Amino acid sequence: MGLLLLVVAHTWAPITLSTLRTFDVPLMVMISAMCYKPVKKDLKSVKRYLWKRFLRIYIPVFTFVNIFFIAILAREAYIDKNVFSVYQYIGSLFLLNAPSIGYVWIMRVFLMMALILPFIEPLIKKLNIGFLIFTLFIIVFLQEGVIIGFDYIPDGIIKFILSEIIPYIIGYSLFTAIGLRINDLTYSKKIILTVIGLIACVIYIWLTGNYFPQKDKYPPHGLYLLWGWSGSCILVICKSIIGRVASWSIWGYLSRNSMWLYLWHIVPVYFMLPTSLRPEIWIVRYIVALGGALMLNFIYQLCIARFPKGIHKYIS
């Protein structure tokens, strides 16, 4: 469902739907934390975990970016026109918001959260529901202060690097914290956690007049954090209802291939960027993006099927 919501974000959806789905990246971060298996606390095990997570997240992105740019270079040679710059290529490899092709910055978030998990997991696991909620609000207030503080740092490479790392680590650690603890909470405590997040959303909207979480997304703060908290928890509460269709094979396919389907959907989205090539009806745009991703992933998986197992597990 997180993957399907991410595709909604990039298909020019109606404003109401586009606003409601803004908890998609927080949901994916929370799920990653829910699936985390604690490593042994010795340094060797932590290093091995960090290296494996880096390879598992970064190698597919590296592979996709290079395939994407090779295809773009071939097209540029045909139409004799530059579409992307070398800076966008390098920025994409570094998973930057800009300069890059866009969209791949999400993988930077997943990577950063995977790298901090072994270090914050022992602390978060000790919190009861009251201290957990207190910690979440501390993260929100800390993030607001950090973002304001960045306004006083002179523009330059140091500010650029820090702004691409620190606010994203702090902001998305909120969803990592929720993911680490939410399976341990009783159903009533999950409801309490959700209701408090929703109340905080309402208060924030009332105080600021901002009811578009997307405005607070780069970097994540304010309403984006609170709505991500609420929306993700709502789905966890509804897990028993959603679980009725979880056995359908399509969900297994989408889940196993979620990273690659996300990457491949970038191609049809770019195809639809010119208004003249963009279907007028939103659901048609969505079908083109998701259908294109499914088709490209099927072709790609066929192409790499004969790769050695040691390589295949990182690029599949």
Side-chain angles (χ1 to χ4, degrees), residues 1 3 12 16 64 67 88-89 106 126 142 146 150 152 166 186 191 203 209 220 224 230 233 239 256 304:
M1 291 187 69
L3 168 68
W12 304 273
T16 301
F64 169 79
I67 293 173
Q88 287 174 292
Y89 171 69
I106 293 174
K126 295 178 181 179
L142 176 62
V146 166
F150 268 94
Y152 297 94
I166 294 177
T186 63
I191 292 178
I203 293 174
Y224 180 80
S230 306
C233 289
K239 190 167 65 172
R256 288 191 304 273
I304 66 168

Side-chain angles (χ1 to χ4, degrees), residues 7-77:
V7 177
V8 170
H10 305 142
T11 51
W12 304 273
I15 188 65
T16 301
L17 178 59
S18 182
T19 300
L20 290 175
R21 64 86 212 152
T22 317
F23 64 92
D24 46 12
V25 181
L27 174 66
M28 299 287 273
V29 172
M30 185 190 74
I31 292 170
S32 297
M34 290 172 69
C35 298
Y36 173 68
K37 296 179 180 179
V39 297
K40 295 178 181 178
K41 298 306 183 287
D42 61 277
L43 187 59
K44 184 178 180 180
S45 295
V46 172
K47 282 185 176 180
R48 185 164 57 247
Y49 162 81
L50 296 179
W51 180 241
K52 287 179 67 176
R53 294 311 300 155
F54 172 79
L55 293 177
R56 189 67 190 93
I57 294 173
Y58 186 73
I59 295 301
V61 186
F62 179 85
T63 304
F64 169 79
V65 169
N66 280 282
I67 293 173
F68 184 84
F69 272 90
I70 288 171
I72 292 298
L73 285 173
R75 181 172 181 270
E76 287 178 352

Side-chain angles (χ1 to χ4, degrees), residues 2-3 5-6 9 19-34 105-106 109-110 113 168 171-180 182 213-214 216-217 220-233 235-236:
L3 168 68
L5 291 173
L6 284 170
T19 300
L20 290 175
R21 64 86 212 152
T22 317
F23 64 92
D24 46 12
V25 181
L27 174 66
M28 299 287 273
V29 172
M30 185 190 74
I31 292 170
S32 297
M34 290 172 69
W105 69 270
I106 293 174
V109 171
F110 295 154
M113 291 301 101
Y168 288 87
Y172 283 100
S173 66
L174 182 144
F175 312 115
T176 299
I178 293 175
L180 285 171
I182 200 159
Q214 186 73 18
D216 290 354
K217 189 173 182 178
H221 63 286
L223 186 59
Y224 180 80
L225 293 178
L226 296 172
W227 178 235
W229 166 355
S230 306
S232 299
C233 289
L235 278 194
V236 172

Side-chain angles (χ1 to χ4, degrees), residues 99-117:
S100 73
I101 60 172
Y103 310 109
V104 293
W105 69 270
I106 293 174
M107 299 303 174
R108 185 176 86 254
V109 171
F110 295 154
L111 183 59
M112 289 190 294
M113 291 301 101
L115 297 182
I116 70 168
L117 262 169

Side-chain angles (χ1 to χ4, degrees), residues 99-156:
S100 73
I101 60 172
Y103 310 109
V104 293
W105 69 270
I106 293 174
M107 299 303 174
R108 185 176 86 254
V109 171
F110 295 154
L111 183 59
M112 289 190 294
M113 291 301 101
L115 297 182
I116 70 168
L117 262 169
F119 304 101
I120 69 171
E121 184 265 345
L123 301 175
I124 299 299
K125 281 292 187 178
K126 295 178 181 179
L127 301 178
N128 59 32
I129 180 66
F131 277 105
L132 174 63
I133 292 171
F134 177 74
T135 300
L136 300 182
F137 279 115
I138 289 295
I139 292 173
V140 173
F141 286 115
L142 176 62
Q143 180 75 332
E144 293 289 326
V146 166
I147 291 173
I148 293 172
F150 268 94
D151 292 336
Y152 297 94
I153 300 177
D155 290 335

Side-chain angles (χ1 to χ4, degrees), residues 297-313:
N297 185 63
F298 178 76
I299 296 171
Y300 173 76
Q301 297 298 334
L302 281 180
C303 292
I304 66 168
R306 295 187 179 277
F307 276 59
K309 186 176 181 181
I311 298 175
H312 185 272
K313 69 177 181 179

